[in-house]
Amino acid sequence: MSRASDRAYEMIRDMILSGDLPSGAKIGEEALAEHCGVSRTPIREALSRLEAEFLIRRSDTQRSFVADWSLEDVEETFELRGLLESRAARRAAKRISWSQLARIKTHHAAIGEAIDAEMPDTQQFVEHNDLFHGVILEASASAQLTTMLARIIERPIVHRTARNYSFDDLKRSHRQHGELIAAFEQHDPAWAEAVMISHIRRAFHAYANAHIDQRIPDVSQAAE
Amino acid sequence: MSRASDRAYEMIRDMILSGDLPSGAKIGEEALAEHCGVSRTPIREALSRLEAEFLIRRSDTQRSFVADWSLEDVEETFELRGLLESRAARRAAKRISWSQLARIKTHHAAIGEAIDAEMPDTQQFVEHNDLFHGVILEASASAQLTTMLARIIERPIVHRTARNYSFDDLKRSHRQHGELIAAFEQHDPAWAEAVMISHIRRAFHAYANAHIDQRIPDVSQAAE
DNA sequence: TGACAGCCTAATGTATACAATGCCGATCGG
DNA sequence: CCGATCGGCATTGTATACATTAGGCTGTCA
C-alpha cells in the first residue's frame, strides 16, 4: 500500500468513516488532492474504488458526494452480505482443508480470549473476526465471491457493527462461530449456510436496535 | 460519462469478446491507447472497469492480461448471477406494481413473437429479454443488487448467448418467463425465486453442454 | 419583480511529460 | 555450462497543463 492512490483511498475512506466528510457532502477532486498531498490522478483512481464500494455516489454529471445511507440501504447491505457470505460458507463447507480449519480455530480462540477478558478487547475481536471470515472466503475458493464481498465489507455500516455489539452480542457471535466450525468439520454445506445467514441477520438487528430511532449515519454533529 | 473513456472501454471489451485479444494476452496501456486513438488516461479508466467486471486480470505488479475463464470460473459466474437474480426476483414479487407487471407482459409477448416466427428473431429476443430482466431488477428496488448484477452481466455476453440457444431452449426460456409472471401476479416470493434459480441454472447447463468437450475459447461464448 | 439568457467560474475529462519500478537479457564468475 | 547479478529497457504510476462542460451569477427584458 505504498502507492499514492492507495494512500489517498485510505485517507478519503477514513475521512468518510470518521465523519469528517459528512453524508451528502460534495467532494472536489482538487480539494482532496491538496488535502492528501498528491495530484488529482491518484485521487480519481481512489474515487473510482470508493464509488464501487458505494461509499461515494456520483451525480449525473460526475460530481462526487459522500453517500447517505437510509435504513433501507443498510438493510439491503446486510441482505446482500448475508446472501454472499452464506453462499461462501456453503462452498467452504465442501472444500475447507485441515489447515484452514486449524487456522480458523486459532482465530476463534483469539476471539474467545478477547471477550473473556474483564474489559472486552474490541480491537482484537475485530481483527480476528475479520481473519475468521477471511479464511471462510479463502476456503470458498471463489475469486468472484471474494471480490464482491470485499467491496461490501468496506462499507461504514459493516465497519461500525462491532462497536454496537453488547457484551451478550459478542458472546453470541462467538458461539455462532463455534457452530460454523462444527458445520465445517462435518463438511455440511446446508448447516454452514444456515448458521451464516443467522449470523449476519443477528448483526443487522444489533445495528438496527442501536439506531432504532436515529437518522443513520450522523456521526458528524460538528460540520465544519 | 466521459466520452473517450467510454469509447475505449467498449472498444477493448469488444476486442476481448470477439477474440481479437485472446485469453491470457498481455495488455499494454500504450498499445491500446494508440489503437483506440486516445491517451493512456482514459485507457487506464477503462481497464479499471474491465477489471471490476472480471474481463481483465492484473498481475501482482499491475500488468494487465485478458482473463482466461476456466469452466469453474464460468460456473461460478452463473452461481453468483443465479444467487443475485433470484433474490431480485424474490424482492420483486413482493413489490412489483401493476404498471411494471404490464410492461413485463409486453416484453414477454414480444419475446413470444420473436420465437414464433419461422426464423427466430434473435435480435428482438435478446432486446426484450434484457428489458424483461431489467423490469425485475427495477421492481426489486435494490440499487445495490442492480449495480452488482450489472457488473456480472455483460450485455454482449447475453447477446452471444441466443445463438447458442436451440429452438427448444428459446421456448423453454419463454415458458419460464411465463411462470415468473404468474409468480409475480400472485406476489409469491418463494415461487419467483425458485423459478429464477431454475432459469439461470438451465442456462448454465445449456452453456456447459454446448462446450462439453472444448477448451473454453473465451467469455463471449457464455450463455444466459 | 420574476424569469430567461449569456457569460464566467469552477470542476471534471484528457493529453503529455516525467518518475519509479518491474522485467529481461547480457555478462561475468564459479 | 549454469547461475547470479547488474544494467538497460519497457511499462506502469504520478504530476501538471490544457480542453471541455456544467452550474451559478448577474443583468436585462417583459
Side-chain angles (χ1 to χ4, degrees), chain A residues 3 44-45 52 54 73 76-77 79-80 83-84 87 91 141-145 147-148 151-152 155, chain B residues 1 44-45 52 54 62 73 76-77 79-80 83-84 87 91 141-145 147-148 151-152:
Chain A
R3 267 151 61 239
R44 287 172 64 81
E45 208 169 302
F54 292 88
D73 292 328
E76 256 184 56
T77 296
E79 181 180 348
L80 207 49
L83 199 62
L84 297 176
R87 178 58 58 110
R91 289 176 61 104
S142 169
Q144 303 184 56
L145 263 179
T147 305
M148 295 246 151
R151 290 185 191 137
I152 293 178
R155 261 108 119 157
Chain B
M1 213 180 232
R44 286 171 65 81
E45 207 169 304
F54 293 92
Q62 292 299 100
D73 292 327
E76 245 184 81
T77 298
E79 181 181 349
L80 206 48
L83 198 62
L84 297 177
R87 178 58 58 110
R91 291 177 59 104
S142 169
Q144 303 184 55
L145 265 179
T147 305
M148 292 246 157
R151 291 194 190 123
I152 294 176

Side-chain angles (χ1 to χ4, degrees), chain B residues 115-116 125 166-176:
Chain B
I115 64 175
D116 268 347
F125 175 89
S166 69
F167 188 68
D168 279 349
D169 286 332
L170 292 173
K171 283 202 296 189
R172 281 199 210 96
S173 172
H174 187 242
R175 272 203 301 276
Q176 288 181 321

Side-chain angles (χ1 to χ4, degrees), chain A residues 189-200:
Chain A
W191 189 8
E193 182 179 25
V195 175
M196 185 62 90
I197 291 173
S198 171
H199 188 52
I200 305 292

Side-chain angles (χ1 to χ4, degrees), chain B residues 126-160:
Chain B
V126 168
E127 185 181 323
H128 286 278
N129 186 66
D130 265 12
L131 291 166
F132 186 99
H133 285 264
V135 175
I136 296 175
L137 272 181
E138 180 192 320
S140 77
S142 169
Q144 303 184 55
L145 265 179
T146 304
T147 305
M148 292 246 157
L149 266 168
R151 291 194 190 123
I152 294 176
I153 308 162
E154 265 313 300
R155 302 300 178 192
I157 299 176
V158 178
H159 192 281
R160 276 287 194 161

Side-chain angles (χ1 to χ4, degrees), chain A residues 23-78:
Chain A
S23 291
K26 189 181 180 315
I27 295 179
E29 295 176 358
E30 192 74 44
L32 279 180
E34 191 172 352
H35 186 277
C36 297
V38 296
S39 77
R40 274 179 53 217
T41 310
I43 294 289
R44 287 172 64 81
E45 208 169 302
L47 289 180
S48 294
R49 289 172 62 183
L50 291 164
E51 187 194 9
E53 291 165 3
F54 292 88
L55 265 74
I56 73 170
R57 106 171 199 272
R58 281 174 136 121
S59 75
D60 51 353
T61 58
Q62 292 299 99
R63 261 78 175 170
S64 303
F65 300 87
V66 178
D68 53 336
W69 295 76
S70 68
L71 185 56
E72 277 157 11
D73 292 328
V74 173
E75 182 157 21
E76 256 184 56
T77 296
F78 275 101

Side-chain angles (χ1 to χ4, degrees), chain B residues 49-81:
Chain B
R49 289 172 62 183
L50 290 164
E51 188 194 8
E53 291 164 2
F54 293 92
L55 265 71
I56 279 179
R57 182 195 115 232
R58 280 176 134 121
S59 76
D60 50 355
T61 57
Q62 292 299 100
R63 261 74 176 171
S64 303
F65 301 86
V66 178
D68 51 337
W69 293 71
S70 66
L71 185 57
E72 286 79 22
D73 292 327
V74 173
E75 181 158 22
E76 245 184 81
T77 298
F78 276 101
E79 181 181 349
L80 206 48
R81 187 178 167 205

